Amino acid sequence: MPGIVEFDFEFPTGSVSARAMADASGVPHEKILEITHCEHFPVLGDDEQAWELAVRAGASVLKRTGVAPERITHVLYCGSGQWDVPFWSPAAKVAHELGIENAHCFEVTNFCNASMTAVRIACDKLELGQADHVLVLIGDRLSRLLDYHDAGSVDLFNFGDSAAALLISGEGSRFEVLHSAMHTEPHWADYYTGAVREGRVLIQRNGHREGLTSAYVDNFRTLTGQTLTALGRDVADVAYLLINHGDRRMHERLLNELGLPAEKSVFNYHRFGHMGGADTLIAIRDLTEAGRLRDGDLLLLATSAMGFSWGITALEYRAE
């Protein structure tokens, strides 16, 4: 069964502080901390680009697995679509830097749900016999899309930056992809949009509507139910549910409504902001390094995105 053979991630060298956000926005420092939950977290420095971090993550994965570049048949680069360079293919750029010259390279744009969407695409290609090894890259620049002077966008001030790489194959996977279920509620499409200001694309909220938190919980709960039903499992079989770092209170509410204790998730809010599509991978690495995963463990990855889309991806851990 196709799955994740190996993955790695990279953090930029820059950082941003809640105090700086408070000074720029006029929002009280303690209110900023209710969103970020930490004083500092990684963002791209002035001279850093997301694709460069993705190159380093990809090189690490290829080195650790020993897979030669010529065996990579597809390179998928995931994110919001606001790449480091306009009208440009970061997938092709990273592939070239890694010596991957015979693959189909393209982008998957579904914001922070794009990584698991790309994993599903990769698995579909492998199951159809249309791929050998697929390199999925995550490389966004979310912090560069924020205006810290805009108090109306304060709910997004936890957006940080990171990059990641996953090698997907039909053999030797450490995390088999058992199932994925995804859904979009398109009536939220215009809630946040980009606007060009002084030559920059910045995210702006277009008014305020109630109900988004409930939409998150309801969609995740529904997709979890669909996934468990498809697998013939129930909530008691879930070893861990890992989620994008959006809203800690929503995270806690979701676990409560699913009947899962906090010990069956990972809370990194005190360490990081929202690291884009790499959040769940950071959580998996924490679990493996702490020796908390056992062979056959069922992991559910809850991912979400602007637009708004939600997804549940089920993985089964295979001990090395």
Side-chain angles (χ1 to χ4, degrees):
M1 180 176 291
I4 302 168
V5 177
E6 187 57 271
F7 68 87
D8 205 354
F9 45 82
E10 289 282 336
F11 295 117
T13 60
S15 69
V16 67
S17 73
R19 179 66 66 184
M21 295 176 194
D23 291 344
S25 65
V27 177
H29 180 241
E30 59 272 18
K31 295 295 184 181
I32 300 289
L33 287 175
E34 289 178 5
I35 294 166
T36 64
H37 300 284
C38 58
E39 184 59 52
H40 302 271
F41 54 85
V43 298
L44 290 167
D46 292 339
D47 298 323
E48 290 182 301
Q49 298 193 73
W51 73 267
E52 297 170 324
L53 301 181
V55 168
R56 295 206 296 268
S60 173
V61 166
L62 294 183
K63 180 178 180 180
R64 288 159 62 177
T65 59
V67 173
E70 56 267 25
R71 295 194 64 194
I72 305 297
T73 56
H74 297 77
V75 177
L76 284 61
Y77 193 103
C78 313
S80 67
Q82 291 297 326
W83 313 126
D84 298 292
V85 178
F87 200 69
W88 175 76
S89 173
K93 179 65 173 178
V94 174
H96 179 66
E97 293 293 323
L98 294 175
I100 300 170
E101 300 294 347
N102 299 306
H104 180 201
C105 307
F106 59 94
E107 288 68 46
V108 177
T109 302
N110 197 212
F111 302 89
C112 294
N113 193 49
S115 56
M116 289 303 112
T117 302
V119 167
R120 182 67 265 170
I121 293 171
C123 289
D124 289 346
K125 286 189 171 294
L126 286 160
E127 289 173 345
L128 290 170
Q130 298 175 350
D132 186 0
H133 291 78
V134 181
L135 186 63
V136 172
L137 303 162
I138 306 168
D140 232 325
R141 49 197 297 277
L142 297 179
S143 73
R144 298 282 180 87
L145 305 178
L146 295 178
D147 179 2
Y148 296 122
H149 295 89
D150 178 12
S153 297
V154 68
D155 288 342
L156 307 181
F157 281 10
N158 66 335
F159 280 14
D161 303 309
S162 66
L166 307 90
L167 183 67
I168 314 298
S169 179
E171 55 186 35
S173 60
R174 295 173 59 202
F175 299 90
E176 294 182 357
V177 179
L178 303 182
H179 187 268
S180 64
M182 297 186 180
H183 174 68
T184 300
E185 288 196 8
H187 60 270
W188 288 101
D190 298 324
Y191 191 50
Y192 286 103
T193 57
V196 179
R197 300 180 196 162
E198 299 180 355
R200 292 178 60 199
V201 175
L202 299 172
I203 304 172
Q204 63 180 15
R205 190 179 71 188
N206 302 305
H208 178 67
R209 289 169 54 189
E210 297 293 336
L212 187 56
T213 297
S214 293
Y216 269 79
V217 174
D218 292 346
N219 276 284
F220 278 143
R221 187 179 59 231
T222 298
L223 294 171
T224 297
Q226 291 176 3
T227 298
L228 293 176
T229 297
L231 296 175
R233 311 277 189 95
D234 57 37
V235 172
D237 296 318
V238 176
Y240 295 98
L241 185 145
L242 309 175
I243 192 169
N244 280 1
H245 266 202
D247 182 335
R248 181 177 182 132
R249 288 169 294 183
M250 184 277 295
H251 186 168
E252 293 169 339
R253 177 178 161 187
L254 175 63
L255 292 175
N256 183 61
E257 293 198 14
L258 290 174
L260 291 170
E263 293 74 20
K264 287 199 169 187
S265 193
V266 173
F267 290 78
N268 271 326
Y269 300 92
H270 63 294
R271 300 169 57 203
F272 301 112
H274 172 32
M275 296 287 99
D279 283 340
T280 53
L281 301 178
I282 295 168
I284 291 175
R285 177 66 57 80
D286 289 344
L287 291 172
T288 55
E289 290 184 348
R292 294 172 60 188
L293 290 181
R294 300 290 180 267
D295 188 59
D297 273 354
L298 175 64
L299 282 67
L300 299 184
L301 308 189
T303 52
S304 56
M306 296 288 186
F308 273 78
S309 295
W310 291 268
I312 293 289
T313 302
L315 307 178
E316 186 165 281
Y317 174 65
R318 292 300 176 202
E320 295 180 289

